[in-house]
Amino acid sequence: MSNSTILEPATKTAAAAQPLAGTSISGSQAVLEALLAEGVDTIFGYPGGAIMPIYDALYDYTDKLQHILVRHEQGGIHAGQGYARSSGRTGVVFATSGPGATNLVTGLADAMIDSTPLVCITGQVFAHLLGTDAFQETDVINITTPVTKWNYQVTDATEIPSVLAKAFYIAKTGRPGPVLIDITKNAQLQKFDYEGYTPCEHIRSYRPKPIVRKEYIAEAAKLINSAKKPFVIFGQGVILGQAEKEFKAFIEKGGFPAAWTIMGMSAIPTDHPLGVGMLGMHGNYAPNVLTNDCDVLIAIGMRFDDRVTGRLDKYAKQAQVVHLDIDPAEIDKNVKSAVPVWGDCKETLPMLTQLLEKNDHSAWLAKFRELEAEEIKEVITDELNPTTEILTMGEVIKTLNELTGGNAIIVTDVGQHQMVACRYAKYNNSKSNVTSGGLGTMGFGLPAAIGAKYGAPDTTVVAVIGDGGFQMTIQELGTIMQFGAAVKILILNNQFLGMVRQWQQLFHDKRYSFVNITSPDYITVAKGYGIEGKRIDQRADLKTALQTMLDHDGSYLLEVMVGKENNVFPMVPQGCSVSEIRLK
Amino acid sequence: MIKQEYTITVYTENQIGLLNRIAIMFSRRKINIESLNTSPSEVDSVHRFTIVINEVEDVVRKLVRQIEKQVEVLKAYYNTEDEIVWQEMALYKVPTDVIAEKVKVERLLHQYGAKAVVIRKDYTVFETTGHREELESLIKALEPYGLIEFVRSARVAIIKASKGFHEKLKEFEKQEPGEEVIENEYLDKQDEVFTM
Ligand SMILES: Cc1ncc(C[n+]2csc(CCOP(=O)(O)OP(=O)(O)O)c2C)c(N)n1
């Protein structure tokens, strides 16, 4: 990613330099001034009656703010998420009141559970109409309360600068999350004496950065140093805390095998010598099995989701758990820790590393490699080098790796292709895996990939999507058509809602109830949107087709027909312990 | 683990919408709120919620941490009954003629620690303050005389061990809170998490 795209965040001195300070401006202008002061360069949005004053003001800001007109507000918010995930910055989304705002709900829930910083601005009816069932009035604040980190309704323009400052501060600090600001139309229109924009640096009821207690660092270090079979599991906290370097230094000094959750993926390169794969239901064999064999389990910036732990009362019972997290509500929520280390891992990891004895756990690491060999033999070889005539999802990803060298951002939708992509894709760079982890939102892939491209314009972005999920937000091809995001769309078409079909096969006696899904001719659809594409179903064409997709100047759609009834393995069946993971 | 009564005290900013934000954290977990009171606190500008639920401690502890995580919540505590001093208030409306005719009102009031707040020709309103059983026993006593209306307030509670919120608030207002309130206190005594 190029550094030139990373703008300086707002500072106090920047506020002083604002030319409009001391003049009378509208609430709408104040919104846009706030975005500029926060270093925002891109907005994903869709206009409508109640947000028209903001769009009217935007007309004069198009040289400073890029607005991407999406095709559906859900697409807008997923694009905002993709942007945030690939850039590490806060995504900004505009929507109108009523249906515009309700269309954001899925994305808010997704961003909430995956800790993605967003500031969403919705228009609202005039304040005097609130509660009257006015045209396109919905109670957006109450609808979105459970799926926002913070939300607030503005009815007076004078509040706008300070409320937006709070919004950006809350979205980005501590455990990040989505914030929604609902602004009534009168406040957007209202003129007021603008005093400039002052970024928020403190809210007394909100303390995002815990003070680290050295005693706990010391205790954690003591426990870790005494471990014979230490095992590190890490999540997105490492990426959100920008602590990739600190994390690497930590595992390398201790010689700890380290496994990632789906959200932690790409924080270290996938081929790091201490990397032992992905945790969870469709994760790798070794890290799942050995979770129930390690003596000290060091959890970093992860939240023990049930897809990671499997059956909780049989999860790592033999181990002492050290849990590093910035969110105190996560500590002891699902798994009781022996030593809780509450803090920002950017701070806690170096403190811990300093107290570590340099170590080498090669015998223990070898155990992971042994089980990995078993997984390669039983699962991976067939998936990546199949003897079947029909292509597998795995070999598509493998070939993609060969061509991108692990330097692409891989965005996925939800389902089997997501698990396969996350299992087999290679990542060299942090923030290069963008997927809907906590909510598992089908339809996330295409719009998130568009956003990811704006967040990292110099990086190749490949969207790996199933034939089901693609049809959920297919309309965003229109956004690509109009604004030209060079997203590479890779549809893995198994002609089924594959993941659900797999469960029906394994757990419901193969009673395939409404998982057979038909597709339009995607190549023709793409063509209608001015996007070139190709469908292949032969192995011989795979490499060339992928190369053509990557080389193409602009967006390109490649549909690969894959095995209809292939399953993703290994698998921890629901209700089973992680060590009961099945290889077939 | 068995369910018991917990009183949750939440210090917050006085913000529209916060009541909903807190209330839905209970309903999301299908926990019934037995009683909920919002009021000013000992500190100007700081609001205080008092919420009573019946739950197992583990659930309460996690819930309280989630509540405390909300941006506009300053601090949240949970206590068992023996750790608090609490009261509820109730009003009872009865027909004046019946009650005057049939009972020695003075004795009744004395016995239940109640007082008459309104006496009119047609009805009388009694008020009593105390624990729930006391309030309920007066209902029993008044029922035979035709209880017209009854209403009971939410619980209000004082935490016995609390030193109040004044000092804490000063720390919260600082950019970098001091060692005393670094809010890692639950890490010191993992079992007594949010007690003071
Ligand atoms: C919005 C939404 N609806 C339903 C689901 C349940 N679901 C999970 S995976 C899946 C099948 C996905 O099928 P497809 O997109 O074809 O991908 P595949 O599993 O075949 O790779 C479904 C229906 C979901 N995750 N999200």
Side-chain angles (χ1 to χ4, degrees):
Chain A
M1 255 171 290
S2 87
N3 279 327
S4 61
T5 61
I6 311 284
L7 300 181
E8 282 296 306
T11 60
K12 274 206 168 130
T13 46
Q18 293 168 63
L20 289 178
T23 68
S24 172
I25 66 170
S26 69
S28 297
Q29 259 181 302
V31 169
L32 302 178
E33 287 297 316
L35 301 189
L36 289 178
E38 290 290 344
V40 172
D41 57 11
T42 308
I43 302 158
F44 302 93
Y46 209 95
I51 198 171
M52 282 187 64
I54 290 178
Y55 272 84
D56 184 62
L58 185 60
Y59 194 74
D60 294 326
Y61 280 75
T62 45
D63 54 334
K64 296 175 217 135
L65 290 167
Q66 175 181 35
H67 177 277
I68 307 301
L69 177 69
V70 292
R71 291 301 185 266
H72 185 292
E73 290 84 355
Q74 183 188 353
I77 190 164
H78 289 329
Q81 293 179 270
Y83 175 92
R85 295 270 291 271
S86 73
S87 69
R89 298 164 61 191
T90 300
V92 177
V93 182
F94 285 177
T96 192
S97 68
T102 56
N103 277 345
L104 297 180
V105 171
T106 302
L108 289 170
D110 195 288
M112 185 72 177
I113 201 162
D114 280 348
S115 309
T116 309
L118 291 182
V119 171
C120 299
I121 293 170
T122 50
Q124 180 57 282
V125 301
F126 286 88
H128 72 272
L129 293 175
L130 289 171
T132 66
D133 303 318
F135 179 65
Q136 294 193 332
E137 185 206 356
T138 52
D139 186 354
V140 175
I141 293 296
N142 281 307
I143 288 173
T144 60
T145 293
V147 289
T148 49
K149 184 173 174 186
W150 186 64
N151 61 9
Y152 188 83
Q153 185 174 63
V154 175
T155 53
D156 186 320
T158 57
E159 287 188 286
I160 287 174
S162 63
V163 166
L164 282 183
K166 259 180 99 169
F168 277 94
Y169 177 61
I170 291 167
K172 196 72 188 25
T173 49
R175 178 174 176 177
V179 170
L180 182 137
I181 305 299
D182 192 39
I183 308 179
T184 56
K185 200 165 175 179
N186 58 293
Q188 297 172 39
L189 293 165
Q190 180 193 341
K191 292 250 186 183
F192 71 108
D193 294 330
Y194 181 57
E195 287 166 9
Y197 184 84
T198 314
C200 178
E201 285 166 357
H202 177 65
I203 298 169
R204 70 174 186 183
S205 57
Y206 171 67
R207 279 139 299 115
K209 209 174 157 112
I211 294 176
V212 180
R213 281 252 175 127
K214 301 222 171 52
E215 310 90 276
Y216 291 95
I217 300 282
E219 218 177 298
K222 205 169 97 197
L223 184 60
I224 295 169
N225 281 332
S226 74
K228 299 272 172 295
K229 296 190 278 184
F231 180 30
V232 170
I233 58 179
F234 66 96
Q236 196 192 195
V238 174
I239 298 172
L240 292 170
Q242 300 175 313
E244 294 92 343
K245 270 204 199 95
E246 291 79 359
F247 177 77
K248 244 174 100 213
F250 171 74
I251 57 169
E252 284 170 3
K253 185 166 178 191
F256 309 130
W260 48 84
T261 68
I262 193 169
M263 297 301 292
M265 178 162 328
S266 88
I268 55 170
T270 23
D271 56 8
H272 189 283
L274 290 167
V276 293
M278 180 167 84
L279 295 158
M281 185 174 269
H282 291 292
N284 292 106
Y285 189 56
N288 275 306
V289 170
L290 296 178
T291 294
N292 280 356
D293 192 15
C294 65
D295 58 357
V296 175
L297 187 64
I298 308 152
I300 303 173
M302 57 85 70
R303 60 185 175 83
F304 295 105
D305 179 87
D306 59 275
R307 284 294 192 269
V308 161
T309 63
R311 198 172 145 169
L312 209 51
D313 61 357
K314 289 188 177 174
Y315 180 80
K317 286 295 170 198
Q318 80 296 339
Q320 305 231 60
V321 177
V322 178
H323 192 176
L324 284 71
D325 209 287
I326 198 164
D327 179 356
E330 287 303 339
I331 293 175
D332 292 352
K333 186 182 83 175
N334 294 334
V335 172
K336 183 97 184 122
S337 57
V339 187
V341 181
W342 183 26
D344 183 339
C345 63
K346 179 112 186 151
E347 266 184 78
T348 54
L349 280 171
M351 292 166 87
L352 206 47
T353 305
Q354 210 183 9
L355 301 183
L356 281 189
E357 286 152 15
K358 177 125 185 77
N359 219 325
D360 170 272
H361 291 283
S362 43
W364 166 233
L365 184 63
K367 234 175 146 174
F368 283 84
R369 298 302 174 212
E370 253 169 57
L371 294 182
E372 183 183 291
E374 207 172 319
E375 184 181 344
I376 290 173
K377 184 164 152 265
E378 298 289 334
V379 180
I380 299 177
T381 304
D382 272 352
E383 182 66 34
L384 301 189
N385 307 293
T387 49
T388 52
E389 197 180 309
I390 186 82
L391 288 157
T392 64
M393 292 184 178
E395 68 181 318
V396 179
I397 302 298
K398 182 190 83 170
T399 312
L400 183 67
N401 287 336
E402 288 164 9
L403 301 179
T404 63
N407 289 319
I409 290 175
I410 307 290
V411 183
T412 80
D413 208 82
V414 169
Q416 290 185 314
H417 64 281
Q418 173 190 33
M419 292 300 124
V420 172
C422 292
R423 284 176 52 77
Y424 298 111
K426 295 265 173 275
Y427 301 94
N428 295 339
N429 308 305
S430 182
K431 300 197 278 286
S432 58
N433 174 45
V434 178
T435 192
S436 168
L439 204 67
T441 305
M442 283 174 73
F444 176 84
L446 181 62
I450 294 172
K453 186 66 190 172
Y454 286 102
D458 300 332
T459 309
T460 300
V461 174
V462 181
V464 181
I465 311 182
D467 46 318
F470 189 59
Q471 293 186 65
M472 281 208 179
T473 47
I474 195 167
Q475 78 284 347
E476 297 308 329
L477 289 174
T479 308
I480 295 178
M481 168 182 71
Q482 188 169 353
F483 297 92
V487 172
K488 311 298 177 182
I489 304 161
L490 179 55
I491 300 178
L492 300 181
N493 188 346
N494 56 10
Q495 303 167 64
F496 270 117
L497 296 172
M499 185 56 93
V500 180
R501 186 210 53 75
Q502 173 169 348
W503 282 49
Q504 289 180 348
Q505 179 191 339
L506 297 177
F507 311 118
H508 296 272
D509 299 327
K510 219 171 171 178
R511 286 151 55 90
Y512 287 170
S513 181
F514 300 101
V515 287
N516 185 341
I517 188 166
T518 57
S519 282
D521 178 345
Y522 292 122
I523 312 309
T524 304
V525 171
K527 196 163 168 223
Y529 281 103
I531 297 168
E532 269 197 58
K534 190 177 168 72
R535 174 190 300 125
I536 60 160
D537 56 9
Q538 294 299 315
R539 186 162 292 124
D541 299 331
L542 180 60
K543 196 161 186 170
T544 330
L546 283 169
Q547 189 68 60
T548 306
M549 171 186 88
L550 294 169
D551 289 347
H552 186 81
D553 184 20
S555 181
Y556 189 93
L557 184 147
L558 177 64
E559 178 185 12
V560 182
M561 304 307 291
V562 294
K564 281 185 76 168
E565 296 186 61
N566 292 0
N567 289 333
V568 187
F569 279 109
M571 177 175 194
V572 181
Q574 208 164 35
C576 290
S577 116
V578 283
S579 47
E580 291 169 304
I581 184 168
R582 287 168 56 173
L583 282 170
K584 53 182 148 217
Chain B
M1 275 196 278
I2 42 153
K3 287 192 182 183
Q4 59 168 321
E5 197 172 84
Y6 285 94
T7 300
I8 298 170
T9 303
V10 190
Y11 286 94
T12 73
E13 300 294 351
N14 189 2
Q15 184 81 60
I16 294 174
L18 189 57
L19 171 61
N20 182 48
R21 198 171 264 281
I22 290 176
I24 60 176
M25 301 180 73
F26 293 84
S27 50
R28 172 176 172 185
R29 293 165 178 79
K30 221 166 158 60
I31 295 171
N32 189 38
I33 293 178
E34 307 286 335
S35 147
L36 185 154
N37 184 76
T38 75
S39 80
S41 73
E42 61 272 21
V43 182
D44 210 28
S45 86
V46 172
H47 223 64
R48 182 171 177 154
F49 286 64
T50 306
I51 304 167
V52 183
I53 58 170
N54 256 305
E55 253 308 332
V56 299
E57 188 185 357
D58 192 47
V59 171
V60 180
R61 181 194 304 124
K62 287 172 187 171
L63 182 60
V64 162
R65 286 189 195 175
Q66 296 290 349
I67 292 173
E68 196 170 71
K69 196 164 102 176
Q70 301 307 313
V71 170
E72 278 134 353
V73 170
L74 288 146
K75 198 88 188 82
Y77 304 94
Y78 69 91
N79 295 98
T80 51
E81 188 165 340
D82 54 316
E83 294 167 340
I84 56 170
V85 176
W86 65 275
Q87 295 278 279
E88 288 171 356
M89 191 193 91
L91 298 175
Y92 313 75
K93 184 160 115 186
V94 286
T96 303
D97 46 357
V98 184
I99 194 108
E101 182 189 320
K102 298 215 172 135
V103 266
K104 263 256 177 262
V105 178
E106 292 292 312
R107 214 184 60 217
L108 182 87
L109 294 188
H110 185 76
Q111 189 183 339
Y112 292 94
K115 63 176 192 230
V117 268
V118 172
I119 305 173
R120 290 174 32 142
K121 256 212 224 98
D122 45 350
Y123 65 81
T124 297
V125 176
F126 296 125
E127 177 247 284
T128 182
T129 301
H131 281 197
R132 185 157 305 176
E133 313 76 64
E134 300 166 291
L135 308 189
E136 274 165 9
S137 58
L138 184 53
I139 302 184
K140 292 260 151 44
L142 292 174
E143 257 164 5
Y145 312 114
L147 181 62
I148 304 168
E149 268 191 66
F150 166 76
V151 63
R152 187 180 65 214
S153 77
R155 170 180 298 187
V156 290
I158 292 284
I159 305 169
K160 289 179 185 165
S162 167
K163 295 193 183 72
F165 212 69
H166 305 277
E167 287 309 308
K168 275 208 182 280
L169 188 70
K170 283 186 202 148
E171 292 296 333
F172 280 100
E173 278 173 348
K174 290 184 194 161
Q175 206 98 345
E176 293 274 329
E179 285 282 331
E180 320 83 77
V181 242
I182 56 180
E183 300 312 302
N184 240 344
E185 67 245 286
Y186 77 93
L187 301 179
D188 292 333
K189 357 174 199 168
Q190 284 216 30
D191 296 328
E192 315 172 29
V193 185
F194 287 87
T195 56
M196 283 200 261

